[in-house]
Amino acid sequence: MNKYRTHNCSELRVKNAGENVILSGWVNKKRDHGNLLFVDLRDNYGTTQCIVQKNQPFFEELEKIQLETVVKIIGFVSKRSADTINKEINTGEIEIQIENFELLGSCKELPLPVFTDQEYSEEIRLKYRFLDLRRKKIHSNILLRSKVISFIREEMTKLGFMEFQTPILTSSSPEGARDFLVPSRLNPGKFYALPQAPQQFKQLIMVSGFDKYFQIAPCFRDEDARADRSPGEFYQLDIEMSFVEQEDVFNVVEELLKRVFNKFSNKKFLFNKFPRITFEEAMLKYATDKPDLRNPLQIYDLTNIFLREDVSFEIFKKLVKSGSIVRALVAKNTKDKPRSFFDNFDKWAKSEGGSGLAYFTIEQVEKISAKGPVGKLFSTESIQEIMKITGAKVGDSIFFACNNENDVLQLMSVARDKIAKELDLIDKNSFAFCWIVDYPMYELDNTTKKLKFSHNPFSMPQGNEKDIDFKNPLNMKAYQYDIVCNGIELSSGAIRNHKPDLMYKLFEIAGYDKKDVDKKFGGMINALSFGAPPHGGIAPGIDRIIMLLADEKNIREVTMFPMNQNAQDLMMDAPSEITIEQLKELNLQIKKK
RNA sequence: GGGGGUGUAGCUCAGUUGGUUAGAGCGAUCGCCUGUCACGCGAUAGGUCGCGGGUUCGAGUCCCGUCACUCCCGCCA
């Protein structure tokens, strides 16, 4: 028999009444009635009410015990009387009559309450994460994470995939995020990098003939944090497959995500078959390549309206003439909204650094007209044209923004969310997945004005190799795709370029000559020239999947031991200073400020 | 690197236009209480109002600076 317990704290039922039992756990709560003491004992599985009367010799000792102390309770199970049953917990029909107890782990005065729904500061939560993790919500989030990960492993295995580990110490890559670097003791002056993703390794696994790979892979990127982005490290469900086209990857991922989301959430799927939206279409309709499709609002281009003679909105007309564009959103049935409703959006848009949001409401007394500060600047015919383009009806309002393309898109993307939230148009009980496809191979770097890879440099350009228009690289599309759910980008993926010659050509366009490519990606290119299968894959973010399933907005709520925004672990005190000896051994010197 | 928010007791927060001794709930300590399940009742302790400077007869409150946490932008192929 186990020394510490015969049962866990969620196990005992009426049928156990009369049995002698031993339970161990944390003192979750005490209710002290002076001559009668209730102790709620908690472990990973649940809580059990234990009770002791004053006549027991250890009564006073137990009465004074700190919450969160770990104790072993020895006693017997007794059935509760009907009026004292607690239906909230699954051991609520019984209680333990304590016959003795043993202190297993004492507890100092708590820096934060454990048994409470109260929110408290992240600083204190992260410093005492081991206490924070005892709390119900986050404890169950972490359990959910564990279950999801093992389910994913099972399902991937069923789908014929093999899990392989890839190195954690690897080489720095020139593209992409900032690397975390690790100095090499045996190779003075040289550094390893932690992998931003096992990108090259998973391709090498394909070249090695393993056909279907997956891994719950740690990824390291030294970039600034966001609510949905841990600083430092995160996990991807890394997938790669040989002899596949884009659709084959989609089928696997769609099937897997459906199984996972159906198993771990009651929310419904808005689309049973995930819609495919081209990058171009997404940017036009949603002004972002990670649209929240729960939001029914669409964006329309109204630039041409401002070239019309019968529109006298001179500020916008002037901007349009000098190259600005106009994009609009329709807010249905908003004619009765107060003036403040509209002005607040304009005020908000200005606070976003934009030029504001103009608006009018379509009305019809006899003729169709526009109401609002700029309404009279539009003729009936121009309003009718706007209604044709946008599908707006009498009683709807139009919000529009005019600026250069970048700024308009940025504003409209956020405005679309904000207006939908304000009008309560988003069904919170659903998942809206979609694929974003046909990404451009290259884009212009805003600061350097040079061409760069818009996503992964290893992606395969679309079309027959002979027909690819290398002269107009900005027109080149790639077999590059993203999967998005509820406005959250879960993953990017691509069919890879497995042809070294083509790869050199593509890198040349981005400004890397053959020598650069050989130096930076030599291992990869070399491998591809020894018989590489066509292959492709994807890597959905595990943390974000759990966030969606747990309905959490912050990634730290689904991460056991996260770092804070400044990439510090307040509990372990990382990063920390190291000794002179360690530095010497690594041939490093710290430059003083 | 830039912008916003927050910072008052161990924890969560209140604190009016600048005005006497900075409050509450939870927690802690002590006492009372035999059926609670957020038990109840009474008492006590607990404060560099993040830090530094300034304005003022007087600053938790106003101003300047700074630090910490957080959200966003940049960044994240």
Side-chain angles (χ1 to χ4, degrees):
Chain A
M1 192 178 83
N2 179 287
K3 180 177 166 186
Y4 297 112
R5 59 186 177 194
T6 56
H7 299 79
N8 69 42
C9 292
S10 177
E11 240 183 317
L12 294 166
R13 298 290 184 278
V14 175
K15 67 176 183 341
N16 303 99
E19 287 178 27
N20 290 309
V21 295
I22 304 172
L23 298 183
S24 286
W26 288 261
V27 175
N28 193 54
K29 196 74 193 170
K30 286 182 300 181
R31 287 174 298 281
D32 189 352
H33 290 237
N35 292 312
L36 174 72
L37 173 69
F38 295 97
V39 176
D40 290 341
L41 198 67
R42 184 196 72 237
D43 66 9
N44 182 57
Y45 310 98
T47 56
T48 300
Q49 175 167 283
C50 306
I51 184 169
V52 61
Q53 320 267 343
K54 184 141 198 178
N55 55 18
Q56 292 284 6
F58 54 85
F59 182 90
E60 277 188 25
E61 197 186 339
L62 192 53
E63 194 182 32
K64 291 205 160 54
I65 218 162
Q66 264 278 351
L67 296 183
E68 294 306 309
T69 300
V70 178
V71 292
K72 170 173 152 183
I73 297 285
I74 302 145
F76 63 90
V77 182
S78 72
K79 190 181 169 194
R80 295 201 203 180
S81 66
D83 57 327
T84 60
I85 285 171
N86 182 354
K87 286 184 181 137
E88 302 294 312
I89 57 174
N90 47 19
T91 58
E93 291 188 45
I94 56 99
E95 61 199 2
I96 309 298
Q97 301 290 339
I98 307 173
E99 292 178 308
N100 208 342
F101 90 101
E102 193 179 313
L103 193 144
L104 298 178
S106 62
C107 179
K108 296 197 288 188
E109 187 176 343
L110 293 164
L112 54 87
V114 172
F115 180 65
T116 172
D117 291 328
Q118 194 175 80
E119 304 261 338
Y120 42 101
S121 81
E122 293 229 36
E123 199 174 354
I124 205 99
R125 290 182 62 188
L126 293 183
K127 183 163 182 192
Y128 296 96
R129 191 58 157 178
F130 49 89
L131 289 178
D132 189 37
L133 285 167
R134 290 181 193 170
R135 298 165 74 220
K136 207 169 186 173
K137 178 63 177 154
I138 188 157
H139 200 87
S140 68
N141 284 353
I142 299 298
L143 289 175
L144 172 70
R145 183 182 177 117
S146 168
K147 286 177 198 153
V148 170
I149 287 176
S150 40
F151 181 75
I152 286 174
R153 284 210 163 96
E154 274 168 43
E155 294 304 306
M156 288 306 288
T157 307
K158 276 188 209 160
L159 289 164
F161 287 78
M162 307 282 288
E163 183 165 15
F164 301 109
Q165 275 75 51
T166 50
I168 298 298
L169 292 175
T170 181
S171 64
S172 176
S173 63
E175 290 279 319
R178 202 174 289 116
D179 285 316
F180 276 103
L181 298 171
V182 180
S184 167
R185 175 180 60 87
L186 294 174
N187 302 277
K190 293 190 175 176
F191 292 80
Y192 302 97
L194 306 183
Q196 297 179 20
Q199 180 61 36
Q200 295 193 55
F201 288 111
K202 69 170 167 177
Q203 292 193 239
L204 291 166
I205 289 170
M206 294 301 100
V207 177
S208 309
F210 286 104
D211 203 62
K212 283 185 178 137
Y213 146 89
F214 87 99
Q215 181 182 193
I216 310 288
C219 303
F220 306 89
R221 296 177 190 175
D222 188 3
E223 296 294 350
D224 289 353
R226 289 287 183 279
D228 63 348
R229 213 163 79 198
S230 284
E233 56 193 79
F234 62 97
Y235 282 80
Q236 287 182 342
L237 166 59
D238 202 31
I239 296 175
E240 199 73 7
M241 311 159 72
S242 285
F243 305 111
V244 291
E245 296 176 88
Q246 188 164 292
E247 281 300 316
D248 298 308
V249 178
F250 287 6
N251 287 338
V252 165
V253 174
E254 235 177 277
E255 183 57 35
L256 178 80
L257 289 178
K258 276 184 199 161
R259 289 186 198 172
V260 170
F261 279 74
N262 272 323
K263 184 168 174 73
F264 293 102
S265 176
N266 295 324
K267 294 187 182 183
K268 63 178 187 293
F269 283 65
L270 220 52
F271 315 106
N272 224 340
K273 172 115 179 121
F274 302 175
R276 285 111 214 258
I277 302 169
T278 67
F279 174 78
E280 210 179 335
E281 186 187 350
M283 295 310 282
L284 177 66
K285 282 188 179 168
Y286 311 110
T288 171
D289 64 348
K290 41 178 184 176
D292 185 349
L293 292 189
R294 294 174 305 171
N295 177 348
L297 296 180
Q298 272 190 32
I299 294 163
Y300 302 91
D301 186 90
L302 292 185
T303 309
N304 289 335
I305 295 290
F306 292 85
L307 298 171
R308 293 169 63 108
E309 294 285 311
D310 59 349
V311 171
S312 48
F313 195 162
E314 297 304 331
I315 306 167
F316 276 28
K317 291 182 82 168
K318 213 169 143 188
L319 285 167
V320 166
K321 265 182 205 143
S322 58
S324 286
I325 61 164
V326 180
R327 293 279 157 91
L329 276 161
V330 179
K332 290 265 164 214
N333 291 320
T334 40
K335 66 174 182 335
D336 299 326
K337 293 275 176 193
R339 174 76 182 255
S340 62
F341 170 83
F342 299 96
D343 286 344
N344 281 342
F345 284 118
D346 183 44
K347 222 185 276 172
W348 161 82
K350 281 179 176 134
S351 75
E352 291 284 293
S355 48
L357 275 175
Y359 66 86
F360 60 69
T361 304
I362 303 169
E363 49 181 22
Q364 184 165 27
V365 182
E366 281 172 26
K367 278 198 316 183
I368 283 189
S369 66
K371 191 181 80 175
V374 298
K376 60 181 181 302
L377 305 176
F378 294 84
S379 69
T380 296
E381 291 72 26
S382 67
I383 297 164
Q384 279 165 336
E385 179 64 16
I386 290 172
M387 291 167 76
K388 211 170 105 191
I389 295 169
T390 62
K393 302 272 184 296
V394 172
D396 298 349
S397 305
I398 315 277
F399 285 95
F400 42 97
C402 177
N403 209 329
N404 64 61
E405 182 161 352
N406 263 347
D407 290 351
V408 167
L409 291 191
Q410 197 164 349
L411 179 65
M412 290 312 270
S413 156
V414 195
R416 185 173 161 268
D417 281 343
K418 195 172 168 68
I419 291 172
K421 270 178 199 145
E422 204 81 17
L423 296 172
D424 198 21
L425 299 176
I426 293 174
D427 177 4
K428 292 210 175 61
N429 281 312
S430 63
F431 291 120
F433 283 92
C434 65
W435 292 99
I436 308 295
V437 299
D438 298 347
Y439 274 83
M441 191 80 202
Y442 300 98
E443 64 189 15
L444 278 181
D445 189 306
N446 269 336
T447 46
T448 63
K449 300 292 170 205
K450 282 184 186 157
L451 280 172
K452 62 171 190 180
F453 289 108
S454 73
H455 267 72
N456 187 325
F458 301 122
S459 297
M460 184 67 108
Q462 291 189 13
N464 206 318
E465 193 179 335
K466 279 174 246 144
D467 307 327
I468 294 174
D469 182 6
F470 291 99
K471 298 256 162 55
N472 295 303
L474 282 174
N475 293 338
M476 213 185 284
K477 301 257 188 294
Y479 286 116
Q480 165 84 48
Y481 37 83
D482 275 12
I483 187 159
V484 173
C485 180
N486 294 0
I488 291 168
E489 182 194 317
L490 285 183
S491 172
S492 291
I495 297 300
R496 321 295 175 190
N497 182 351
H498 66 287
K499 300 175 177 174
D501 293 346
L502 178 57
M503 183 113 52
Y504 284 125
K505 275 195 208 167
L506 296 169
F507 266 105
E508 202 181 328
I509 292 171
Y512 298 86
D513 64 21
K514 190 161 183 295
K515 236 190 281 170
D516 295 330
V517 180
D518 284 339
K519 194 173 169 207
K520 303 288 189 189
F521 304 103
M524 186 76 213
I525 293 263
N526 190 38
L528 293 179
S529 44
F530 284 92
H535 61 286
I538 194 164
I542 293 284
D543 313 79
R544 288 186 183 171
I545 289 174
I546 315 289
M547 280 171 77
L548 283 166
L549 291 172
D551 220 351
E552 293 286 0
K553 289 200 170 57
N554 195 299
I555 200 161
R556 291 184 294 275
E557 300 301 328
V558 297
T559 309
M560 216 165 192
F561 298 112
M563 299 200 283
N564 70 9
Q565 199 168 41
N566 294 321
Q568 298 160 335
D569 181 334
L570 298 174
M571 187 174 59
M572 302 304 282
D573 192 25
S576 57
E577 289 178 353
I578 57 171
T579 63
I580 304 278
E581 288 69 30
Q582 285 173 303
L583 281 171
K584 267 189 191 153
E585 207 165 42
L586 295 167
N587 285 284
L588 293 178
Q589 256 186 323
I590 304 290
K591 207 170 148 185
K592 287 197 180 109
K593 273 190 181 170

